[in-house]
Amino acid sequence: FFLHPTLDNTNRDMLKWRLQALVSRLKGQGKLCILNDPELSAALAGEGEAVERLEVEQEELPVAPPAAQLEQAMKIAQRLQLACVRMQGTFIDEATHAVDYSGLRRSKMFEEYCQAARELGTIDYRSLNEMSNDGKLSFFINIYNALTVHALATWETTVESVLQIPSFWKTFAYRIGDSVLTLDDIEHGVLRGNRPHPSGKALFEPDDARLAVQVAFDPRIHFALVCGAKSCPAIRVYTTDNTQRALAAAARAFCMQEVDISGDGQEVTLSMIFKWYGCDFGGTTSALLAAIAEYLDEPKASALRAAAPSASVVYRSYDWSLNGH
C-alpha cells in the first residue's frame, strides 16, 4: 500500500486501519489479481508481508489529505483518460477494433499507463460520489475498459478467447483507495446499480462500503463496456463533457450493426447482450424492442417498430474470440 510519510498521525492511523480492514474483507474471496497493487495481491495470496509498509521512498505515491481528495480523483481520472486515448490511437485498429496486445505490452506508453493506474490507490473512494453523474459514468466505464485491456496485455500466455482465462471477470481488479473492484464489481455492482449478475445474485451486500458511490443506471453502458471479445462494442474513451454524446453514438453504432430485421418483418435478430440483460431494457420482448428502436436510424427504427408486435426474436451467437491481432 502507499502511505505517505507526510500524513499526520491521525490520517495515517485511519488509512492504515482502512487498508487492514480491506485485507480482512478480501481474505477467503478466492484469487484476486489486483493489477495496480501487486503487493496487495501478494499479501492476499500469503506471499508477502501484512501490507503495513509505512516507510516508503519519496518517489512512491502520496495519499492526498481529505480536502483535496475530489480534486485528486478528477486529476487522476483525466490522466488515465489521456493515457487511454494515446493507447487507443496507437494500438487499436479503427476499422476492425482489434487490439495489438503484444505491441501494447512492450510499449513505453503502456508502462506509463500502468504507473497512472497505480495512482488510483491514492484516491478516497467515497470522494468519487461528489463527481457529477456523467463524471462517475465516464470514470467507471474507462476504468472497466482499461482494466480489461490491462489484464489481457499482461496475461502470461497467448489465448484465443478471454474465456480461456479462468474466472477472468472475478479475478482481475484495481484498487481504488481502500476499495478493490473486479471487472464484475465495476459492471454489476457500480454501473448497473448492484442489479443481479445474469448468472446469480447481486454482488454487493447491503452494507458493502463500495455502495457509497452511486451511479444513476443507464442501459447504454452495455454498448460501452468491452470484455475482450470480438462481439463486444468498440472501445471508446469517455469524458465528463462527452459522456451523453458518446453513449448515444455507441448505442447507435452497436444497434445499427447488431440488429437485423427479416424482409417480411417476421424475425428480428439481436446480439446476445440483449438476452443476457433484457431486464435492463424493460424486461419484456415488447419493451426491449421499443428500447432498441430508440437507438436506430430511420428507416430501420420504423421497420423494427412495425415488426415488434408479431415478430419472433432470435439471438446471434456471441463471438468470444479475442479482440486482438
Side-chain angles (χ1 to χ4, degrees):
F1 289 125
F2 302 108
L3 297 174
H4 200 257
T6 59
L7 286 173
D8 63 43
N9 287 336
T10 299
N11 282 334
R12 285 162 65 84
D13 289 345
M14 177 60 72
L15 184 57
K16 179 181 175 182
W17 178 84
R18 283 184 178 180
L19 296 177
Q20 289 175 333
L22 171 63
V23 173
S24 297
R25 291 200 306 272
L26 295 175
K27 288 285 189 182
Q29 290 190 14
K31 181 180 178 181
L32 282 174
C33 184
I34 304 167
L35 292 177
N36 67 336
D37 197 336
E39 297 88 354
L40 177 55
S41 289
L44 292 173
E47 299 167 0
E49 296 300 321
V51 292
E52 295 183 11
R53 292 193 307 127
L54 296 178
E55 297 299 326
V56 297
E57 298 179 0
Q58 282 301 115
E59 66 265 26
E60 291 197 292
L61 303 170
V63 176
Q69 286 287 1
L70 177 58
E71 182 181 359
Q72 170 91 342
M74 295 182 73
K75 285 182 178 179
I76 291 172
Q78 289 167 358
R79 283 199 289 274
L80 286 170
Q81 287 167 359
L82 179 60
C84 289
V85 167
R86 292 178 63 205
M87 291 193 299
Q88 180 186 34
T90 305
F91 298 102
I92 300 177
D93 187 287
E94 187 175 350
T96 66
H97 312 310
V99 181
D100 179 6
Y101 290 108
S102 178
L104 176 62
R105 184 185 303 120
R106 300 189 303 268
S107 71
K108 179 69 173 177
M109 203 176 293
F110 183 60
E111 181 182 331
E112 293 171 352
Y113 168 78
C114 291
Q115 182 60 31
R118 287 180 73 105
E119 294 185 41
L120 289 169
T122 71
I123 290 176
D124 179 351
Y125 179 76
R126 294 156 189 79
S127 74
L128 297 175
N129 214 37
E130 300 304 314
M131 289 183 175
S132 67
N133 195 69
D134 281 357
K136 289 181 284 190
L137 266 175
S138 63
F139 179 85
F140 282 105
I141 291 171
N142 289 339
I143 290 296
Y144 182 96
N145 291 341
L147 177 53
T148 297
V149 172
H150 193 165
L152 291 170
T154 54
W155 188 247
E156 62 269 21
T157 58
T158 301
V159 295
E160 295 180 356
S161 168
V162 68
L163 297 180
Q164 294 175 326
I165 301 176
S167 302
F168 181 77
W169 296 278
K170 298 180 185 300
T171 299
F172 289 97
Y174 277 155
R175 178 166 78 89
I176 304 177
D178 61 352
S179 293
V180 168
L181 293 100
T182 65
L183 287 162
D184 265 355
D185 294 334
I186 296 169
E187 179 177 6
H188 306 293
V190 178
L191 288 171
R192 293 186 63 237
N194 209 32
R195 285 169 168 77
H197 188 285
S199 63
K201 62 178 184 178
L203 296 185
F204 297 164
E205 297 295 334
D207 61 349
D208 195 306
R210 292 170 295 182
L211 287 171
V213 178
Q214 298 287 319
V215 182
F217 174 62
D218 188 324
R220 295 176 298 175
I221 62 167
H222 295 299
F223 314 126
L225 300 179
V226 179
C227 67
K230 286 186 176 178
S231 282
C232 288
I235 295 179
R236 300 167 184 258
V237 179
Y238 294 79
T239 68
T240 300
D241 293 336
N242 81 357
T243 300
Q244 293 302 315
R245 293 191 305 275
L247 284 174
R252 174 190 172 280
F254 186 82
C255 291
M256 288 297 292
Q257 177 177 312
E258 294 291 333
V259 177
D260 290 320
I261 306 163
S262 63
D264 60 6
Q266 294 303 300
E267 185 175 277
V268 177
T269 303
L270 304 175
S271 163
M272 282 295 291
I273 286 176
F274 293 112
K275 182 175 184 178
W276 296 327
Y277 297 106
C279 61
D280 291 351
F281 295 92
T284 65
T285 299
S286 59
L288 170 64
L289 296 180
I292 293 172
E294 295 299 316
Y295 306 134
L296 296 173
D297 289 342
E298 294 293 352
K300 203 170 190 177
S302 293
L304 180 60
R305 292 188 180 101
S310 58
S312 60
V313 175
V314 297
Y315 295 94
R316 185 179 292 107
S317 296
Y318 208 74
D319 185 353
W320 285 104
S321 301
L322 193 67
N323 64 340
H325 61 76

